[in-house]
Amino acid sequence: MALCSAISVPAQQKLEIFSWWAGDEGPALQALVEQYTRMYPGVTVDNAAMTGGAGVNVRALLKTRMLVGDPPDSFQVHAGQELIGTWVAANRMEDLTPLYKSEGWMTRFPRALISFLSSRGGIWSVPADIQRSNVIWYIPANLKDWGVAPPRTWDEFLATCKVLQDKGVETPLAVGESWTVNHLWESVALGVLGPDNWAALWSGKLKFTDPRAVRVWDMFGQVLAYANTESAGYREADGSGLSWQQAADRLVKGDAAFTIMGDWTAGYMATTLKLTPGVDFGWAPSPSTSGVFLMLSDSFGLPKGIKDRTAAIGWLKLLGSQNGQDMFNPLNGSIAARLDSDLSIYNAYSQSAAKDWRSNRIAGSLVHGVAAPESFTSQFSAVMDIFLAAKDSRAAANAAQAIADQVGLGK
Ligand code: GAL
């Protein structure tokens, strides 16, 4: 495979890359950084990754750095409103359209994905991957021992969890810190609503207070009752203290049967835990979402006013190249955003995700920045807190609609 062409970067430059791909999430980014260093030996790379799944920690630090006029040279951000509605709106990013043109990317990335990255006549970041949110994970050997199959619908899920509890699996569903509970919610919502009503929720055509949307919370409450949350009477292993990886570990240890998490779980299981996809760990679309791919994409942009701009452009070129994407994604559990990636080097999980990406209905993730403006997404945790406090579906629906009205969702 040909390496993407290096550009000439003067020596003694620095490149600081902000992301949440640290610790167990780090190997794929690290491989790319090492490749960059081979291509640009004169650039000192500061891989300033900070743990905290879904960017919960790094986003706050990024905000401070941007606001004081000291941006990192490039930073991880989800495709969609997460960048468009924030730093693009604030005029802090460079338009990357010239780079897309010079690299031939206009036809190398799916047109729909480029439109997620575009606004105000510009293209604002380079996608590193395509990720799937709606996946249920399990350990086939454990399910076999317990005599259950992966559930295909949420009703089947509830029935299966009941059987598992009767067999002594106290909390069959593993969740972790609060964003992972929101992540679970989006799979339940997509399953209960279906892709048309899911989209209608974000375009403002379906109100959160519509009985169909209220039912999402009813089902969510029933699903959550099987998880390692306080509500399940399992305080010692309260999910709020666990990372998404630790939630996945509960499956491997046989303490839980399922977790609903994005396909970075495949990266963790295969790359970090060295488990074989399809043998040691299994997956399926999250219940009631077969045929729908709830997508998100991680991307990197170019803040205005950075010192070593050519070093950052070299980084973006590598990231968007076929070689860079096929180096990063097989380790990460995700698939390349590019249309010309070499699927033969991906594992069984990624190959199945790539097949679904090409054939499924596509829906956008809420939690990972695609479906709604940041002003809504950032307040969704407050809605969840209201629900968790009293398990009152109508109260949560009313709170969600109040925020939707306040931010003008869909307008
Ligand atoms: C998502 C991100 C993924 C993965 C995950 C867990 O928001 O898009 O690439 O990092 O968080 O931290």
Side-chain angles (χ1 to χ4, degrees):
M1 195 190 315
L3 291 183
C4 80
S5 58
I7 50 170
S8 138
V9 175
Q12 307 298 315
Q13 293 207 11
K14 286 209 182 101
L15 173 70
E16 184 189 25
I17 306 169
F18 252 42
S19 80
W20 58 90
W21 285 330
D24 289 333
E25 279 208 77
L29 176 63
Q30 188 52 35
L32 212 50
V33 165
E34 281 163 19
Q35 174 64 11
Y36 179 91
T37 309
R38 281 191 289 274
M39 291 167 73
Y40 305 108
V43 181
T44 307
V45 182
D46 179 5
N47 181 359
M50 183 188 258
T51 51
V56 286
N57 299 328
V58 85
R59 252 196 299 276
L61 186 58
L62 175 69
K63 193 169 180 181
T64 312
R65 290 279 300 270
M66 294 295 271
L67 290 177
V68 300
D70 178 27
D73 299 309
S74 192
F75 60 85
Q76 180 183 4
V77 65
H78 290 119
Q81 289 297 326
E82 194 172 302
L83 179 65
I84 304 298
T86 55
W87 304 118
V88 173
N91 198 21
R92 299 297 180 93
M93 304 301 292
E94 277 201 39
D95 177 10
L96 299 176
T97 306
L99 189 64
Y100 271 70
K101 291 201 169 136
S102 64
E103 294 300 294
W105 290 344
M106 301 303 288
T107 52
R108 290 296 184 205
F109 292 115
R111 197 175 306 167
L113 179 58
I114 294 184
S115 79
F116 280 140
L117 305 164
S118 305
S119 73
R120 304 168 163 220
I123 311 175
W124 303 101
S125 59
V126 179
D129 58 30
I130 296 291
Q131 306 253 24
R132 186 176 196 174
S133 166
N134 59 319
V135 190
I136 185 167
W137 303 92
Y138 54 89
I139 305 296
N142 292 350
L143 295 199
K144 194 159 171 249
D145 284 351
W146 292 319
V148 298
R152 284 161 304 183
T153 65
W154 283 114
D155 284 332
E156 265 184 40
F157 176 89
L158 298 177
T160 304
C161 287
K162 175 82 188 55
V163 170
L164 287 164
Q165 281 189 332
D166 290 346
K167 297 199 171 185
V169 187
E170 207 172 338
T171 54
L173 175 64
V175 294
E177 57 186 317
S178 55
W179 74 267
T180 72
V181 175
N182 299 348
H183 186 106
L184 170 66
W185 182 89
E186 72 177 15
S187 264
V188 174
L190 180 66
V192 172
L193 291 171
D196 289 332
N197 280 332
W198 170 259
L201 205 55
W202 308 116
S203 67
K205 292 201 181 89
L206 181 73
K207 299 258 184 243
F208 285 88
T209 45
D210 184 290
R212 288 167 292 179
V214 176
R215 271 205 295 276
V216 168
W217 293 99
D218 295 343
M219 177 55 87
F220 180 67
Q222 292 180 64
V223 167
L224 204 63
Y226 287 109
N228 51 320
T229 58
E230 287 186 57
S231 60
Y234 201 75
R235 285 167 197 275
E236 315 88 88
D238 180 10
S240 63
L242 304 182
S243 65
W244 64 266
Q245 295 96 325
Q246 289 170 318
D249 289 343
R250 291 179 57 81
L251 271 56
V252 178
K253 287 188 205 131
D255 293 338
F258 306 114
T259 192
I260 308 282
M261 194 32 67
D263 56 12
W264 42 92
T265 306
Y268 175 62
M269 296 244 188
T271 306
T272 306
L273 301 185
K274 311 266 180 267
L275 300 177
T276 304
V279 178
D280 301 328
F281 69 94
W283 63 86
S286 55
S288 304
T289 69
S290 174
V292 187
F293 193 108
L294 189 60
M295 68 81 61
L296 59 126
S297 168
D298 296 288
S299 71
F300 286 77
L302 184 65
K304 282 184 174 168
I306 57 168
K307 193 157 155 275
D308 295 328
R309 187 173 172 278
T310 43
I313 289 178
W315 159 247
L316 296 176
K317 281 183 152 194
L318 172 62
L319 192 72
S321 68
Q322 189 205 37
N323 177 58
Q325 302 232 323
D326 282 348
M327 184 175 283
F328 173 84
N329 286 292
L331 292 170
N332 201 42
S334 42
I335 53 176
R338 282 181 72 112
L339 296 161
D340 57 356
S341 97
D342 177 6
L343 277 181
S344 69
I345 60 173
Y346 287 71
N347 70 22
Y349 173 72
S350 296
Q351 289 187 0
S352 85
K355 188 161 158 270
D356 288 352
W357 167 243
R358 282 170 197 178
S359 58
N360 280 191
R361 276 280 300 272
I362 304 300
S365 160
L366 167 70
V367 176
H368 306 281
V370 184
E374 181 73 5
S375 50
F376 182 91
T377 312
S378 57
Q379 297 190 70
F380 186 74
S381 294
V383 176
M384 185 58 77
D385 287 345
I386 288 171
F387 179 76
L388 294 177
K391 303 285 165 6
D392 180 337
S393 300
R394 189 147 285 284
N398 288 342
Q401 190 55 45
I403 297 171
D405 291 341
Q406 178 214 326
V407 307
L409 192 67
K411 298 229 167 76

